[in-house]
Amino acid sequence: MDLSPPRGMQDFLPPRSEALRARAAAAARQAELFGYRSVEVPALEPTELYERTAGETSDVVRKEMYTFEDRGHRLLTLRPEATAGIVRAYLAHAQQLPSPFNVDTIGAMWRYGRPQAGRYREFRQFDLEVIGAPEPDADVEVIAVGDRFLREAGLDDIELQVNSIGDEVCRPAYREELLSYLDAHQQELTDEHRARFRENPLRVLDCRDEACRAVSRGAPKISDRLCGPCAEHFAAVQDGLAAEGVPFVHEPLLVRGLDYYTRTAFEVVAGSLSEAQAAVCGGGRYDGLAEIIGGPHTPAVGFASGLERILVALGNEGKEVEGAARLDCFVVAIGGEAIEPARKAARILRDVGLSTMSSFGPRSTKAQFRMADRQRAQFAVVIGREEAVAGTVTVRRLSDGHQQEFGIDEAAAWILTLREEGSE
Ligand code: HAM
């Protein structure tokens, strides 16, 4: 059997799996710092949920959904994104939930796109949402969390781009204006967009092809056509970002690939990634999404950030992708008498918070030290016949061979002290 994973999907093994886990832990920590609660929603939803929210003309719905019929003849789709599912869950339980509902989730998403570096068919997102908040300050906070998360990851070559794409009041007139502009320039568009721009002219602005981009640069800009309340909101978001000290640029051509956005749209673009998949974070406001799926008017804003893409960008910036959790102790048992004391020693070391391994079953001393080495253990905690009789252990610091014999409790305290010193 072919042992490779499905196309566009990856096996994560140490140390990359640990780097991924470290990013997920950092994401959860960042969300907690701002008081966000965690949610888990199903990885599968009725296909209709995404068709209605992402929109019929989005790439996600047109070409990228993993859709299948289950044994009960229900049409289901593996989630291509988390927002629609979280809003569905919020509406289903709104009575019991606080408002605003500030939540985050971390999990796998699936999109059947053409795989390339930074674009996968299975990928993980850190997704954060504020549901039930119309205030520009909510947009500012959401963006600030994303910015902190990416900077803490170690990314330097990134740019936050923000725009406003208006709402149901100002966008229809803009759409008409853009349509007539594109109509006049249709010969310059790519075949795909020439055939489809009438369905949703804003998609052309999102196209990365140079031909479409040239047309887009001359197009009317939505941010110049905002109605009063949208313009006010956008100004407040920009002022708030400046007050928070979050650097940004206004990118008037920025629109998003999903249809549910209103007003604020933003992306964080990494300079080290290739342009077509440079976004390490994307999001915005989606005041109309709850109504699209049958709920009451519920203003909301959020973002999602792709964890794999962050690792790729870090690698491209020449940063070592942190990984390999180091092991504190490897317990080496020499001879039959040492086995029970070694077990006990490992338990005590773990009880004080030291990560500890030992071999399963008896092995030669040499083999056990080799294992300690391979696990990048910092200390070997050795128990031979003498130690077993004396009720002691010999602790050897593997970096320099420095060693000392102790009672196990003292040994644990010594290792903890040395570990603290080493991490300073
Ligand atoms: P999105 O822009 O489609 O937005 O995706 C957000 C992020 O997920 C992207 O910026 C990128 O980092 C990552 N990503 C997307 N597709 C892939 C892929 N094929 N491979 C690797 N990484 C990928 C959303 O998903 C919205 N739900 C964000 C949001 C939340 N808006 C409001 N709330």
Side-chain angles (χ1 to χ4, degrees):
M1 168 171 181
D2 179 8
L3 296 181
S4 41
R7 186 165 146 72
M9 306 196 184
Q10 306 183 76
D11 296 321
F12 279 91
L13 301 169
R16 276 181 73 76
S17 50
E18 284 151 351
L20 202 58
R21 188 197 264 186
R23 283 305 102 231
R29 218 170 33 241
Q30 209 55 256
E32 268 173 33
L33 275 178
F34 284 77
Y36 286 63
R37 313 286 301 271
S38 88
V39 288
E40 294 291 336
V41 291
L44 288 166
E45 295 278 357
T47 302
E48 186 193 358
L49 178 69
Y50 302 115
E51 284 173 348
R52 287 220 220 167
T53 57
E56 298 281 355
T57 63
S58 66
D59 279 357
V60 164
V61 170
R62 278 185 43 230
K63 344 184 215 193
E64 296 181 349
M65 291 201 298
Y66 276 92
T67 296
F68 64 96
E69 199 181 280
D70 76 0
R71 289 169 195 270
H73 306 292
R74 299 171 196 90
L75 205 56
L76 297 175
T77 294
L78 275 169
R79 62 181 176 203
E81 61 108 34
T83 312
I86 292 175
V87 173
R88 179 201 54 68
Y90 169 79
L91 292 174
H93 303 276
Q95 263 79 20
Q96 303 99 284
L97 297 174
S99 179
F101 187 49
N102 298 14
V103 293
D104 74 290
T105 197
I106 299 162
M109 312 289 149
W110 293 267
R111 296 184 193 177
Y112 193 85
R114 195 166 65 80
Q116 39 205 305
R119 181 180 300 277
Y120 310 102
R121 290 185 173 172
E122 179 179 72
F123 58 96
R124 286 141 194 91
Q125 279 185 347
F126 165 36
D127 181 283
L128 182 121
E129 314 286 355
V130 175
I131 303 176
E135 300 87 353
D137 276 353
D139 311 39
V140 172
E141 176 171 291
V142 160
I143 295 172
V145 181
D147 181 70
R148 285 174 65 120
F149 167 64
L150 295 169
R151 296 205 182 270
E152 195 207 46
L155 288 174
D156 292 317
D157 185 9
I158 50 177
E159 180 180 78
L160 166 64
Q161 304 178 341
V162 297
N163 195 19
S164 174
I165 56 168
D167 64 4
E168 73 289 349
V169 176
C170 46
R171 206 183 307 150
Y174 170 73
R175 187 178 185 278
E176 289 310 311
E177 194 184 344
L178 181 62
L179 260 180
S180 35
Y181 171 83
L182 293 175
D183 210 25
H185 291 82
Q186 54 176 297
Q187 291 317 320
E188 298 151 49
L189 298 174
T190 58
D191 294 347
E192 184 187 348
H193 287 290
R194 192 176 323 117
R196 310 192 72 102
F197 74 91
R198 284 191 184 79
E199 294 169 25
N200 185 350
L202 272 83
R203 288 270 160 271
V204 176
L205 305 182
D206 203 26
C207 178
R208 302 283 162 213
D209 190 280
E210 196 35 53
C212 286
R213 298 193 71 158
V215 176
S216 296
R217 280 193 283 272
K221 309 288 183 288
I222 175 76
S223 47
D224 298 333
R225 307 289 192 277
L226 299 175
C227 58
C230 282
E232 231 170 79
H233 188 97
F234 189 38
V237 170
Q238 294 179 79
D239 290 348
L241 289 173
E244 270 295 314
V246 176
F248 68 94
V249 294
H250 172 204
E251 173 47 72
L253 289 176
L254 176 72
V255 293
R256 303 271 298 132
L258 305 161
D259 274 0
Y260 51 62
Y261 292 103
T262 50
R263 297 189 167 177
T264 312
F266 65 93
E267 282 185 353
V268 179
V269 175
S272 69
L273 293 173
S274 67
E275 217 186 319
Q277 46 271 330
V280 285
C281 176
R285 185 161 270 288
Y286 50 92
D287 294 346
L289 195 154
E291 282 160 295
I292 295 173
I293 58 177
H297 179 67
T298 312
V301 57
F303 75 75
S305 177
L307 301 187
E308 288 86 348
R309 225 175 251 190
I310 291 174
L311 298 189
V312 175
L314 282 171
N316 291 354
E317 283 193 20
K319 311 249 159 66
E320 197 189 336
V321 174
E322 100 208 54
R326 290 192 70 177
L327 185 70
D328 295 317
C329 309
F330 196 98
V331 179
V332 175
I334 307 167
E337 310 92 311
I339 290 178
E340 268 321 302
R343 241 188 244 287
K344 186 169 164 218
R347 245 189 337 263
I348 290 170
L349 293 168
R350 291 183 186 121
D351 283 349
V352 300
L354 291 164
S355 58
T356 303
M357 288 179 88
S358 57
S359 78
F360 299 125
R363 295 207 179 195
S364 74
T365 309
K366 199 169 149 204
Q368 292 183 66
F369 272 102
R370 214 180 306 123
M371 287 174 79
D373 234 28
R374 213 171 297 138
Q375 298 296 340
R376 303 176 66 208
Q378 315 223 43
F379 297 91
V381 176
V382 186
I383 305 176
R385 175 191 290 267
E386 272 176 32
E387 286 92 347
V389 171
T392 58
V393 300
T394 297
V395 179
R396 183 187 301 177
R397 184 160 61 192
L398 292 170
S399 57
D400 59 4
H402 176 62
Q403 66 176 44
Q404 212 167 319
E405 191 175 336
F406 294 102
I408 180 64
D409 293 320
E410 275 173 285
W414 190 63
I415 295 171
L416 278 172
T417 317
L418 291 186
R419 192 182 66 164
E420 292 302 314
E421 284 170 10
S423 66
E424 271 166 13

